């Protein structure tokens, strides 16, 4: 199932996700205007949410089944960004495989691998709503918010073969058609 949702719904959920992260202090009133909430989100996670001001976006809530989950990519960014270095192929499953194969713990660059392992050990826990984004049709979605949680779910999937479907938000870059009128 896929349904269209408003950006304000996604931003509120994303800010709620930020509130529960260790060491993050985000205060907001859900009734604030959209522009104020977007500003707080950009202030809290400028890199992760930067696409919000770069592109017009259509937002959807959809069921993230196992086959779609297996296609997820870690956060988009430069090749030397920590999540991209952690995952040899840029996928969430690749990050999970590397954590397991290399028996990583502690911190890998700025990725808290210990936290990923703690989340994986606690699963199944209440689902966290992932925020995904893709710029182009046919492109595999990247995770904008929820890399630790998704990687923990991938570890659990690799270890046990279990996957519990959940729903997620997906932002898709809209192509704006500009018409030129001849007024001569």
């Amino acid at each position: 199932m896929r349904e269209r949702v408003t950006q304000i719904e996604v931003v509120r959920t994303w800010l709620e996700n930020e509130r529960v992260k260790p060491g993050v202090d985000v205060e907001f009133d859900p009734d604030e205007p959209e522009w104020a909430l977007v500003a707080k989100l950009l202030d809290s996670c400028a890199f992760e949410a930067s696409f919000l001001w770069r592109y017009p976006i259509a937002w959807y809530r959809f069921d993230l089944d196992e086959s779609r989950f297996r296609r997820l990519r870690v956060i988009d960014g430069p090749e030397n960004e920590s999540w991209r270095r952690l995952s040899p192929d840029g996928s969430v499953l690749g990050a999970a495989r590397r954590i397991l194969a290399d028996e990583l713990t502690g911190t890998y660059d700025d990725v808290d691998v210990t936290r990923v392992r703690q989340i994986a050990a606690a699963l199944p826990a209440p689902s966290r709503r992932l925020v995904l984004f893709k710029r182009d049709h046919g492109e595999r979605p990247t995770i904008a918010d929820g890399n630790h949680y998704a990687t923990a779910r991938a570890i659990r999937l690799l270890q046990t073969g279990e996957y519990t479907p959940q729903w997620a938000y997906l932002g898709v870059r809209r192509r704006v058609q500009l018409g030129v009128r001849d007024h001569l």
Side-chain angles (χ1 to χ4, degrees), residues 73-109:
R73 300 184 58 75
V74 294
I75 189 167
D76 196 14
E79 285 187 34
N80 64 349
E81 193 274 327
S82 55
W83 280 101
R84 295 176 61 79
R85 279 201 307 270
L86 177 62
S87 177
D89 63 357
S91 73
V92 171
L93 282 172
R97 284 186 191 103
R98 175 108 185 260
I99 288 170
L100 292 173
D102 293 354
E103 298 180 10
L104 297 177
T105 59
T107 303
Y108 181 90
D109 287 333

Side-chain angles (χ1 to χ4, degrees), residues 130-158:
L130 300 177
V131 179
L132 314 174
F133 177 68
K134 66 183 201 172
R135 283 186 298 255
D136 297 308
H137 180 70
E139 176 182 75
R140 289 169 42 185
T142 59
I143 297 176
D145 181 55
N147 284 280
H148 286 81
Y149 178 76
T151 305
R153 286 179 61 101
I155 285 173
R156 185 68 167 216
L157 175 63
L158 293 171

Side-chain angles (χ1 to χ4, degrees), residues 19-150:
R19 277 187 177 173
V20 298
K21 290 180 181 176
V24 176
D25 184 25
V26 177
E27 293 299 322
F28 71 98
D29 177 351
D31 294 327
E32 289 181 75
E34 182 175 352
W35 64 267
L37 293 176
V38 169
K40 287 183 182 195
L41 183 62
L42 288 169
D43 185 51
S44 176
C45 45
F47 173 74
E48 298 88 340
S50 64
F51 65 91
L52 288 175
W53 59 267
R54 287 187 190 153
Y55 309 112
I57 302 166
W59 285 103
Y60 302 91
R61 183 175 44 224
F62 75 104
D63 294 325
L64 184 61
D65 60 23
E66 185 177 336
S67 66
R68 287 181 174 139
F69 179 80
R70 288 177 173 273
R71 296 184 67 233
L72 293 181
R73 300 184 58 75
V74 294
I75 189 167
D76 196 14
E79 285 187 34
N80 64 349
E81 193 274 327
S82 55
W83 280 101
R84 295 176 61 79
R85 279 201 307 270
L86 177 62
S87 177
D89 63 357
S91 73
V92 171
L93 282 172
R97 284 186 191 103
R98 175 108 185 260
I99 288 170
L100 292 173
D102 293 354
E103 298 180 10
L104 297 177
T105 59
T107 303
Y108 181 90
D109 287 333
D110 66 349
V111 176
D112 187 345
V113 176
T114 299
R115 184 167 155 239
V116 171
R117 288 180 171 278
Q118 289 169 342
I119 295 168
L123 291 173
S127 292
R128 173 153 180 216
R129 303 301 170 220
L130 300 177
V131 179
L132 314 174
F133 177 68
K134 66 183 201 172
R135 283 186 298 255
D136 297 308
H137 180 70
E139 176 182 75
R140 289 169 42 185
T142 59
I143 297 176
D145 181 55
N147 284 280
H148 286 81
Y149 178 76

